[in-house]
Amino acid sequence: MKKRYNKAIKPLRYILIGLGILAVFGLYQYSRYQFYISTPVESGNTSNISFVINKGENLSDIANNLLEKDLILDRDAFKWYAKLGGFDRSVVAGRFLLNKNLTIPEIVDIITNTKKSELVLTVPEGSITRDIDKKLTDLGVIASGDFINAVNTFDNYDKYFFLDREAMKTLPHPLEGYLFPDTYFIDPLNFYSENL
């Protein structure tokens, strides 16, 4: 009887040892995860860093970019935190001002908040008023035609000494060719085409 008892205990012993090792490894990984999500890259450094999330970027792209800009300590911890909290489906495309004093939960709170984002509008060289109107419409900032109407009703020539009112009348739309190609950051909550 004793031999059977010992034979039954040996596999149980190995199972318990295996479970113990898994538990220790799990605790180590959990404590590592907790460290990475709750520790900023550089405490006290609140210098703003511009961080852009482009439309269509996935969580891995965002994590890699955050790590590259030295805003997080570990990309996997960022991805796990975002996925476990369901935040991966709430990330907003746009530009955000982040800093190295932020923890992963604070960064996730910012990049999932539309009130803290700025939309990115790139105006390529050769763009005409209609192209810009379409880009702003696609971004959801204006209704189609709002930008064209704002350009057509532009009457602030005194503010821009280099604009000739008479020359503007010969263009298909006033300001055509005077809108500088560049990347612009737009606050969608405070964007008004009347500000031209």
Side-chain angles (χ1 to χ4, degrees):
M1 282 281 254
K2 243 183 179 180
K3 284 186 178 181
R4 268 191 203 169
Y5 179 73
N6 284 339
K7 283 183 181 179
I9 293 223
K10 279 187 178 181
L12 184 61
R13 216 182 284 163
Y14 292 131
I15 290 171
L16 290 174
I17 289 170
L19 288 174
I21 291 170
L22 282 175
V24 168
F25 181 73
L27 284 172
Y28 168 74
Q29 288 294 6
Y30 179 74
S31 64
R32 207 169 145 251
Y33 167 78
Q34 285 299 320
F35 171 79
Y36 284 136
I37 67 164
S38 62
T39 306
V41 170
E42 193 177 329
S43 286
N45 184 347
T46 57
S47 299
N48 282 333
I49 296 171
S50 175
F51 184 75
V52 176
I53 298 175
N54 294 307
K55 198 172 184 176
E57 281 187 334
N58 62 34
L59 203 55
S60 291
D61 297 331
I62 296 166
N64 289 335
N65 294 339
L66 285 167
L67 191 63
E68 191 177 293
K69 287 214 170 216
D70 204 22
L71 289 164
I72 57 173
L73 294 170
D74 185 80
R75 75 182 172 87
D76 291 330
F78 170 81
K79 285 167 57 177
W80 274 105
Y81 179 82
K83 281 183 183 177
L84 289 174
F87 301 112
D88 55 326
R89 295 179 297 277
S90 310
V91 174
V92 179
R95 180 178 83 146
F96 302 88
L97 295 178
L98 305 176
N99 63 63
K100 295 183 180 187
N101 189 50
L102 296 171
T103 63
I104 286 176
E106 291 169 329
I107 289 172
V108 168
D109 181 54
I110 292 169
I111 67 172
T112 56
N113 188 337
T114 54
K115 292 180 181 176
K116 295 182 181 179
S117 75
E118 292 180 319
L119 297 174
V120 180
L121 170 69
T122 302
V123 178
E125 196 169 326
S127 293
I128 58 175
T129 304
R130 192 177 26 234
D131 299 333
I132 299 169
D133 184 86
K134 182 172 181 348
K135 283 182 172 278
L136 289 168
T137 302
D138 291 346
L139 287 172
V141 178
I142 63 168
S144 181
D146 283 356
F147 185 75
I148 293 171
N149 290 336
V151 168
N152 287 340
T153 59
F154 176 79
D155 195 28
N156 204 358
Y157 293 97
D158 297 338
K159 188 175 178 183
Y160 304 98
F161 69 90
F162 54 87
L163 294 177
D164 180 355
R165 185 185 302 257
E166 293 308 310
M168 295 292 128
K169 289 179 183 176
T170 64
L171 300 172
H173 300 284
L175 306 177
E176 194 81 78
Y178 286 89
L179 303 170
F180 191 69
D182 204 348
T183 297
Y184 298 92
F185 299 100
I186 301 167
D187 178 354
L189 300 176
N190 297 312
F191 180 78
Y192 301 102
S193 54
E194 300 91 77
N195 289 337
L196 286 173

